[in-house]
Amino acid sequence: MARKPANGDTQPTSYGDAVQQLEQLVTGLESGQMPLEELLTQYQRGTELLRYCRDRLQAIEDQVKVLDDAGALKPWALE
């Protein structure tokens, strides 16, 4: 079950969208120009986006399969 973002932002439309949003958040956080309350809100949004990205990557990794020498499917693993 997907969690609803705490600050009312919607889920990203894609992995690329989530990464782009994360990059923008990091730039804003690093600028040092945000009020403390907004820093916390943006940090929370960043953790939600990071969770989304990790979940999407895991789902894709789970789908990727390779054939072993015997012709059987096995999970793909980075070697």
Side-chain angles (χ1 to χ4, degrees), residues 7-56:
N7 64 359
D9 289 332
T10 60
Q11 286 283 43
T13 58
S14 67
Y15 177 82
D17 181 39
V19 170
Q20 183 179 18
Q21 288 182 41
L22 272 170
E23 289 172 349
Q24 291 172 350
L25 281 173
V26 169
T27 300
L29 291 171
E30 289 178 340
S31 74
Q33 301 299 314
M34 282 187 206
L36 184 59
E37 294 80 17
E38 188 172 345
L39 274 171
L40 179 58
T41 300
Q42 294 302 315
Y43 179 82
Q44 290 171 332
R45 176 65 178 156
T47 60
E48 292 165 356
L49 289 167
L50 183 58
R51 184 178 305 113
Y52 173 87
C53 288
R54 286 181 178 162
D55 290 347
R56 292 297 304 142

Side-chain angles (χ1 to χ4, degrees), residues 62-75:
D62 290 345
Q63 292 177 19
V64 175
K65 304 286 182 182
V66 293
L67 292 175
D68 64 14
D69 293 335
L73 283 176
K74 65 177 184 178

